Amino acid sequence: MEEDEGEYTLEVSNSKGTVSGSAKVKTLEYDRDWRTAQWGANNLIKQLLGNYTLSNPNVRHLRFLLHGPVGVGKSSTINTINSTFQGHVNVKALAAAEEGKSFTKCYETYRIMGKGGEQLPFVFNDIMGLENEEKSGVLIDDITSALKGHVKEKYKFNPLTPLCEGDARYNSRPTLDDKVHCLVSVIRADKIGLLSARDVVIEKMRKVREAASHLDIPQVVFMTHVDECCPLVQKDLSHIYSSKKIKQAVQDCSNKLGLPMNCIYPVKNYSEENEVNDEVDCLMLDAIVSAVNFANDFVRDK
C-alpha cells in the first residue's frame, strides 16, 4: 500500500543497551490499476479481429511495420501474435537468442493466421534492427522507403547504402496495400530507463517517428520484456497495471520517444513458454486492437 511508504526506524534494547537503524521503504504497487485490461475476453477479441471489416474497400490488409533496436524482440513479437491467434506457441519469424548485431537482414512480410488456418486482415513487416553506430544496422532512409511502400519483399538491407530508385527491389509505383498503415516501435521496458534522450538509437527512433508523422502514419509502441522490468509482474502478469515500475517505464518511453502514454502498450513475448498463456495473450490483444483501429482509420482517410 502507498500509505505504508516512508522512513521506518527499528530500535532494539537489552540489558547492555539500545541500538537502532532507519530505512526508507517504497512499495512496488499502486492501490489501484492505472490502466484497465480486458482480462478474460481473449476469445471474443480474437473473434472480432478475425471478422474485422476494413474501412477502405481497396485495401486487402492492414500493414504494420515493426522497428526498434537490436534485441528488443521484434521477430518474437510477430511470433507471439501468431501464437495468440493460433492457440499454440508459434515460431515463424526467426529471432536471435542474444543481443548484438541484427539477426533480421531482409524485408519480410508475415501474415497472421487464425486457429483454423484462415488469414487475418493484417500483416506485419520485420526489418533489420537499429544499432548504436551511425553506419550499422538499418538506415533511416530505408525505413522511410518502407513506410512509403517502396521496399519489395526480400530486399536485403545494406547498412552503408540505402535502397534507391532503379534497384530491382525498389517498388516505384506502390499501392495503398504496399504502404505501411501503422508504425510499431518496439522497445524493452527494462532498458528504456537506462537510455538517455541523446542515445544514438533513441535519436534514430525519433527520426523514424518524424518521417512517419510527415506521412500522417499513426504510431504505437509495443514495450517488451515487462517481466524483466518488475518482480511483481514477473511473478504475476496480471499486476502489470498496478506496477509502479511499469508505469515509470511507460513514462520514460513517452518522454524519450515523444509518444503519449496511451499509445504505449506493455507486452510480454513468448520466450521460455511452450504453451500459450491467457495473460500474455490478453496484453498482446489489447495492443493489437488499438493498432488495428489506428491503421483502419488511416486507410479510411486515404
Side-chain angles (χ1 to χ4, degrees):
M1 295 292 185
E2 287 186 75
E3 58 265 27
D4 294 328
E5 290 188 343
E7 185 166 340
Y8 287 78
T9 300
L10 176 65
E11 187 175 283
V12 178
S13 300
N14 60 20
S15 59
K16 294 183 179 181
T18 301
V19 294
S20 64
S22 298
K24 288 185 177 180
V25 175
K26 284 192 173 183
T27 60
L28 297 176
E29 198 168 15
Y30 291 108
D31 292 338
R32 59 185 63 85
D33 288 356
W34 47 271
R35 184 185 289 180
T36 59
Q38 300 298 314
W39 306 115
N42 290 357
N43 290 335
L44 175 60
I45 294 172
K46 284 189 280 188
Q47 182 180 354
L48 292 173
L49 288 171
N51 298 323
Y52 199 88
T53 301
L54 303 189
S55 58
N56 188 325
N58 298 318
V59 175
R60 293 174 300 164
H61 49 242
L62 301 175
R63 185 180 299 276
F64 300 88
L65 177 67
L66 274 66
H67 91 110
V70 172
V72 295
K74 296 186 300 299
S75 299
S76 295
T77 296
I78 293 172
N79 290 334
T80 299
I81 294 169
N82 257 317
S83 299
T84 295
F85 283 99
Q86 293 183 21
H88 62 87
V89 174
N90 179 287
V91 181
K92 194 172 184 180
L94 296 180
E98 298 179 358
E99 294 184 38
K101 295 294 181 181
S102 180
F103 188 81
T104 302
K105 304 297 183 185
C106 298
Y107 188 70
E108 192 157 358
T109 300
Y110 292 92
R111 288 164 175 78
I112 307 303
M113 311 299 289
K115 197 169 186 178
E118 70 280 9
Q119 183 176 319
L120 275 67
F122 40 88
V123 299
F124 286 80
N125 279 99
D126 196 10
I127 60 172
M128 192 178 195
L130 295 165
E131 296 182 17
N132 269 314
E133 298 175 11
E134 290 295 340
K135 292 295 183 179
S136 63
V138 66
L139 298 175
I140 305 300
D141 287 347
D142 278 344
I143 301 178
T144 303
S145 292
L147 292 172
K148 296 177 179 178
H150 290 308
V151 181
K152 290 185 179 180
E153 190 77 0
K154 299 296 183 181
Y155 166 68
K156 187 174 182 179
F157 294 102
N158 184 337
L160 300 178
T161 307
L163 178 68
C164 297
E165 190 165 5
D167 189 286
R169 292 291 178 182
Y170 186 91
N171 180 6
S172 58
R173 297 176 64 85
T175 65
L176 186 56
D177 258 338
D178 298 323
K179 298 176 182 180
V180 171
H181 307 135
C182 181
L183 174 69
V184 180
S185 302
V186 185
I187 197 81
R188 288 183 64 133
D190 60 329
K191 297 291 178 69
I192 185 65
L194 303 175
L195 299 174
S196 75
R198 295 184 178 180
D199 185 271
V200 173
V201 168
I202 292 295
E203 288 186 347
K204 287 181 177 180
M205 293 183 75
R206 291 180 71 94
K207 287 179 181 177
V208 173
R209 282 205 59 241
E210 288 174 8
S213 296
H214 286 313
L215 297 168
D216 296 325
I217 296 173
Q219 303 155 41
V220 296
V221 174
F222 286 9
M223 202 169 66
T224 60
H225 293 268
V226 291
D227 53 324
E228 297 181 41
C229 179
C230 175
L232 282 175
V233 174
Q234 188 173 48
K235 186 177 180 180
D236 186 345
L237 204 57
S238 67
H239 286 277
I240 191 162
Y241 289 134
S242 61
S243 167
K244 291 184 176 182
K245 284 184 174 289
I246 299 299
K247 186 175 183 181
Q248 184 60 56
V250 172
Q251 182 68 69
D252 288 341
C253 185
S254 175
N255 292 340
K256 289 167 185 175
L257 294 184
L259 277 87
M261 290 178 66
N262 60 6
C263 290
I264 301 171
Y265 301 92
V267 297
K268 182 190 181 309
N269 289 332
Y270 287 114
S271 55
E272 301 174 347
E273 301 84 356
N274 55 15
E275 294 183 355
V276 293
N277 174 284
D278 285 343
E279 285 76 24
V280 172
D281 288 354
C282 176
L283 293 177
M284 187 58 76
L285 287 168
D286 278 353
I288 293 170
V289 166
S290 295
V292 165
N293 286 334
F294 290 151
N296 201 38
D297 289 345
F298 174 79
V299 299
R300 180 197 61 205
D301 294 341
K302 296 298 177 182

